[in-house]
Amino acid sequence: MSLVMQNLGTFMVYALAAMFVQNAVFTRGFGVSRLTKLVADSAVDSMTFCALLSLINVLCAPMSYFVNQFLLQPAFWYRNYVRPLAFTVCALIAFAAVFLVIALLNLPNKKDLLAVLPLATLNCAVLGPMLITANQNYNFAQTMGFALGSGLGYAFAVIIVTEGQRKMNSRSVPAVFRGLPINLIYIGILALAIYSLTGHRVAI
């Protein structure tokens, strides 16, 4: 029982760390271009995209963990070269599984989900966490926690940027900065603030 609680605690710690301290967007720079498009694209529901991305991350995590454990054998001295390809295959397997479930279920927004699913799968916010957990040699609980936290952290970033855009529509913002420039400035300031949670500080 104590081992289960210890693993659960590890899972929660790494999920929270991935969501805030190691946020996929603000401190890792994953999916920033897609994020900027999402918050300005009324044809794509941001939360649907984030939910699918989080689901793909969680499905990929156990596969990538066991693939990485297999590649850690001494015979695979070229593991660093094949990891990205192997993890891409993991993402494609997760894509196929989610695609089949959505296709079989009678959902009212099935077409929208299937249209967004490829974008949520073939995304650096999916491949990135797999590579990070492999390079850091995380155990299973850490890998699962980091995967879930990365997906939720992406959603957290989308919510913050979307809310910020409402404030940035103010007339007090100079015309030359409106649109993409003020978005990038806002994201940059947020990234600096959240990146400070990792313990980094400006050298004097």
Side-chain angles (χ1 to χ4, degrees):
M1 186 65 180
S2 61
L3 182 60
V4 173
M5 294 304 295
Q6 182 180 354
N7 287 331
L8 182 60
T10 300
F11 173 84
M12 293 302 299
V13 167
Y14 275 77
L16 291 173
M19 185 173 179
F20 297 108
V21 181
Q22 298 291 340
N23 187 276
V25 173
F26 294 128
T27 64
R28 296 289 184 177
F30 293 154
V32 173
S33 60
R34 183 62 195 160
L35 173 69
T36 306
K37 183 178 186 302
L38 270 175
V39 296
D41 189 356
S42 59
V44 178
D45 181 63
S46 299
M47 289 301 103
T48 299
F49 179 87
C50 293
L52 288 173
L53 187 143
S54 298
L55 177 60
I56 293 293
N57 263 337
V58 171
L59 292 177
C60 286
M63 289 189 286
S64 65
Y65 172 78
F66 289 113
V67 166
N68 186 58
Q69 292 301 306
F70 179 73
L71 291 176
L72 287 176
Q73 297 179 45
F76 295 102
W77 54 268
Y78 49 88
R79 64 181 65 87
N80 291 332
Y81 302 103
V82 299
R83 265 189 190 134
L85 178 61
F87 290 164
T88 301
V89 172
C90 292
L92 292 175
I93 293 172
F95 168 83
V98 175
F99 183 91
L100 287 175
V101 171
I102 294 175
L104 293 175
L105 294 177
N106 188 21
L107 300 174
N109 58 340
K110 181 185 294 187
K111 290 184 179 180
D112 294 334
L113 291 173
L114 293 178
V116 175
L117 183 59
L119 300 173
T121 303
L122 302 175
N123 191 300
C124 56
V126 172
L127 182 60
M130 288 191 281
L131 291 172
I132 290 171
T133 54
N135 290 332
Q136 297 295 326
N137 291 319
Y138 286 170
N139 61 33
F140 187 77
Q142 292 170 339
T143 300
M144 294 300 297
F146 194 86
L148 177 62
S150 295
L152 295 178
Y154 194 93
F156 171 69
V158 169
I159 293 170
I160 289 181
V161 174
T162 303
E163 183 60 30
Q165 276 201 327
R166 296 175 185 171
K167 306 292 184 183
M168 290 182 290
N169 288 331
S170 171
R171 292 184 178 179
S172 60
V173 177
V176 70
F177 285 109
R178 290 176 191 169
L180 183 61
I182 193 65
N183 282 335
L184 294 178
I185 292 171
Y186 176 64
I187 292 173
I189 293 172
L190 284 173
L192 287 173
I194 294 178
Y195 193 64
S196 67
L197 295 174
T198 62
H200 296 280
R201 59 183 181 181
V202 177
I204 299 176

